[in-house]
Amino acid sequence: MVASASPALAAIPLLPPADAVAHFPRVPVVDLSHPGAGEAIVSACQEFGFFKLAGHGIPLHLMQRLESATLEFFHSPQAEKDKASSADPFGYGNKRIGPNGDVGWLEYLLFPVAGDDPFALSPMASSFRSALLEYSQRVKELAREVLELMAEGLNCNDRTVFSNLVMGEQSEGIIRLNHYPEFPRPEKQLDRSLTGFGEHTDPQVISVLRSNDSAGLQIALKDGSWVSVPPDHQSFFIIVGDSLQVLTNGRLRSVRHRVMADGAKCRVSMIYFLGVAPGEKIAPLGEVMGEGEQSKYREFTWNEYKKAACRTRLGDDRLGQFEK
Ligand code: GA4
């Protein structure tokens, strides 16, 4: 007998069951402490727009500190969590993603990262805020290192061409803390997979993702097929975003990805999205263009991109409208 889903679950689109999606047979791994990391980053970003980062030097306990504080928040009474929701995209959200009707089996917190004490005004406990601050500072420095190695790997004369764009005072960073809960008891027997976070590409330059040891992340390969990425709570996953695809005139590929929720074990992920400043032009950098190479995109600013993105659904191809 197939029991029917509770209303909370019924509203969420299904995804193919976990065993119908192949495991990523060879997840590219870059060890930051190895020589040749720059070339390895570039080749992974050309082929997949994605890689696993090991040897990064951020201690596990620092990641786990934020993970515990995050879980403590999500386990607090609903009325408490709702106090952290707001009209703009930032703050607490539940099932609804973005302004255009996308839904997924998750709840989340979204924070802008700007200034010296970006979370000072956030409505969470001070221990949560300090875990977030420590984590975000370390991950931002890590992102700098990755972007500088990437510039070297692309043979740029200036190794800071990418990092400078996301490290400025005005550069826009976002942290997203996602909680994909276990399904309610009756549904656990159903063996169904729901959309946790629907397929999309990230808008920014790069995203640095860390999750607990619970599966769910899937990426699309060049041929459009989906593979699931085995979780690794000690590593980060780096995701190339639309901005970097444009900055490199398509050499590095922004990767479509999604999260499947099977409800068996809760998944917690924390993602730091590193973006450029609002008025920054997003166009292929001279440093990466070959002699006489034409831009594949018409020029636009980050503000223009964001305005356009706000009118789209999660799965839409947001770069399409800027292609020549
Ligand atoms: C996808 C990546 C990040 O999670 C995010 C998302 C943002 C939001 O949640 O408000 C967007 C989505 C994301 C892209 C298109 C728009 C905006 C939801 C949505 C439908 C925080 C981001 O920067 O872009």
Side-chain angles (χ1 to χ4, degrees), residues 22-41:
H23 279 281
F24 196 171
R26 45 183 184 105
V27 178
V29 183
V30 175
D31 190 317
L32 260 198
S33 63
H34 285 182
E39 286 79 33
I41 289 172

Side-chain angles (χ1 to χ4, degrees), residues 84-95:
S85 54
S86 72
D88 57 37
F90 298 114
Y92 174 75
N94 191 354
K95 299 192 184 71

Side-chain angles (χ1 to χ4, degrees), residues 89 97-98 102 110 176 197 200 202-204 273 309 312 314 318:
I97 301 165
D102 289 293
L110 207 56
R176 173 167 215 128
F197 206 107
H200 65 287
D202 288 348
Q204 293 82 358
F273 303 93
T312 62
L314 202 52
R318 283 180 294 278

Side-chain angles (χ1 to χ4, degrees), residues 119-134:
F119 314 110
L121 297 175
S122 309
M124 308 99 60
S126 70
S127 54
F128 190 176
R129 272 187 276 133
S130 77
L132 197 52
L133 184 61
E134 187 184 27

